Amino acid sequence: MLVNRQVASFFGVREALIIGRSGHDFYPEEIADLFRENDLAALRAGATTEFEESVPKADGLHTFISSKFPLRDVAGKTYALGCVSTDITAHKRAQEDLSASKRELEIVVEANELIMDNSKDVIATVDFSGRFLSVSAASKEMWGYAPEELTGRHYTRIIFPEDIPKTDAVVTRIMAGESVADFENRCLRQDGSLVHVLWSLSWSQADEKMFVVAHDVTERAEANELLRRAEAEANRANRAKSEFLSRMSHELRTPMNAILGFAQLLEMDELSPNNTKVSAIFCEEAATSSILLMKSSTSRESKLGASRFPWSRLTFRRL
């Protein structure tokens, strides 16, 4: 009976070519049948009724909100059906995109929750004042505190007192936008024991929060400390060995030098042939003993480190 220009524009024909025709002349049969059922439902209701109706077009499916209502004459008799349709395609697509994004976000949140709940590392967020916003379940194993015991508390609650100044300095640098490599410090468990922690820290200026991952490296730190102590003990033992050998060498050589000196004095005197021969034998014995003592010094030094230090006995014959 009557259509406006928007309807004609939608179908791409003049208004005169629409009047007197039905939906079956413009839509596929299944869609036209659905629209007809909606028309009859509105007439049966006897009042304005809204329907969401979709129509295929060249650029895709268009969705409309159609308000359908009976038209009555002065006697109250229904003689026609009025319809006002609003194209909500853009809104519908935006709503669908929003729903898809929401589903994706839910998947990401669920994945993050699984990571937070099952990771052995503590994953947390800290606000600009240094207070925990969120803490993963691993905090109970690493520090002895449940997540709810740390949420809202300052991070220094778990830091070993001696390490607080250097930790504060690193946090300040990170919040200022500086890049800091993995940072290690010591934390205090609730039972008072120490935990060595390797931190990965990242500050988000947009969110005004710091993202934190804490990894327990206590076993590695303890192994390194044992190695350091063993090294220090080995160096101390080497120094003691060297000092001992130096003193022993001095103590052994000093009397030998005196003996050699005495023998040389004998040679300088005018002696009888028999005494000269005795002096020569004495000098030869003393020289041989001195050489043997010096040659064995290196061997004794190496054997001392292996707890084997053979002592030689020097024998002098009575002349």
Side-chain angles (χ1 to χ4, degrees):
M1 294 178 63
L2 178 67
V3 295
N4 63 7
R5 283 178 296 178
Q6 282 75 15
V7 175
S9 175
F10 181 80
F11 289 116
V13 297
R14 297 194 310 273
E15 296 172 33
L17 297 176
I18 299 174
I19 295 174
R21 303 174 71 179
S22 71
H24 287 82
D25 296 320
F26 299 98
Y27 303 123
E29 184 176 357
E30 63 275 12
I31 293 178
D33 289 344
L34 178 61
F35 288 176
R36 182 57 181 165
E37 288 178 10
N38 291 343
D39 294 344
L40 294 174
L43 290 172
R44 286 192 298 270
T48 300
T49 308
E50 286 190 349
F51 301 92
E52 184 175 302
E53 300 176 328
S54 297
V55 180
K57 290 195 68 179
D59 62 345
L61 195 67
H62 280 244
T63 303
F64 295 83
I65 289 292
S66 298
S67 297
K68 299 184 178 185
F69 47 91
L71 295 175
R72 297 183 177 89
D73 57 20
V74 292
K77 184 179 180 180
T78 300
Y79 66 91
L81 182 72
C83 179
V84 177
S85 295
T86 303
D87 191 341
I88 61 168
T89 303
H91 173 74
K92 190 72 173 177
R93 289 174 180 170
Q95 196 173 43
E96 290 173 352
D97 291 342
L98 181 61
S99 297
S101 297
K102 185 179 178 181
R103 286 194 297 273
E104 291 177 0
L105 181 60
E106 289 172 350
I107 292 172
V108 171
V109 170
E110 185 178 352
N112 286 340
E113 288 177 350
L114 286 173
I115 293 172
M116 292 277 283
D117 292 340
N118 294 285
S119 173
K120 291 184 178 180
D121 293 339
V122 175
I123 302 172
T125 54
V126 178
D127 66 14
F128 65 92
S129 67
R131 298 185 181 278
F132 285 109
L133 296 173
S134 64
V135 184
S136 67
S139 64
K140 185 67 176 177
E141 177 70 22
M142 187 177 296
W143 297 320
Y145 293 99
E148 58 271 18
E149 293 179 283
L150 292 177
T151 302
R153 300 297 185 91
H154 200 272
Y155 66 80
T156 52
R157 178 183 179 88
I158 59 169
I159 306 299
F160 185 59
E162 291 182 10
D163 290 357
I164 289 178
K166 72 174 183 179
T167 303
D168 287 341
V170 169
V171 170
T172 300
R173 288 164 57 194
I174 290 174
M175 288 185 173
E178 186 176 341
S179 177
V180 179
D182 289 341
F183 167 68
E184 187 173 332
N185 68 2
R186 292 168 294 177
C187 294
L188 273 177
R189 288 176 52 84
Q190 194 172 32
D191 62 8
S193 59
L194 277 179
V195 182
H196 292 260
V197 177
L198 183 67
W199 298 86
S200 294
L201 310 171
S202 176
W203 173 255
S204 171
Q205 190 61 43
D207 299 320
E208 292 190 338
K209 65 177 65 172
M210 184 164 56
F211 296 93
V212 174
V213 177
H215 180 63
D216 188 346
V217 293
T218 303
E219 290 185 3
R220 187 191 72 183
E222 290 176 348
N224 288 340
E225 177 62 18
L226 288 175
L227 180 61
R228 186 193 65 79
R229 290 180 182 179
E231 250 181 88
E233 183 63 22
N235 291 335
R236 188 198 66 77
N238 282 333
R239 288 193 299 271
K241 179 185 69 175
S242 298
E243 184 179 351
F244 171 75
L245 290 174
S246 176
R247 289 181 179 179
M248 284 298 297
S249 177
H250 174 75
E251 294 298 329
L252 290 172
R253 288 174 182 173
T254 297
M256 187 57 64
N257 288 335
I259 295 172
L260 286 172
F262 178 72
Q264 289 169 356
L265 286 175
L266 290 176
E267 287 183 330
M268 292 172 62
D269 291 337
E270 292 183 3
L271 302 173
S272 64
N274 186 48
N275 287 339
T276 299
K277 182 178 180 181
V278 171
S279 174
I281 293 172
F282 181 81
C283 288
E284 182 180 350
E285 289 285 346
T288 300
S289 298
S290 178
I291 292 171
L292 289 174
L293 176 62
M294 295 180 68
K295 285 178 65 178
S296 65
S297 294
T298 303
S299 175
R300 286 172 179 168
E301 184 173 349
S302 61
K303 291 178 179 177
L304 179 62
S307 300
R308 291 182 293 105
F309 193 95
W311 294 92
S312 298
R313 174 175 296 177
L314 301 179
T315 304
F316 294 91
R317 293 180 299 181
R318 183 182 298 274
L319 300 177

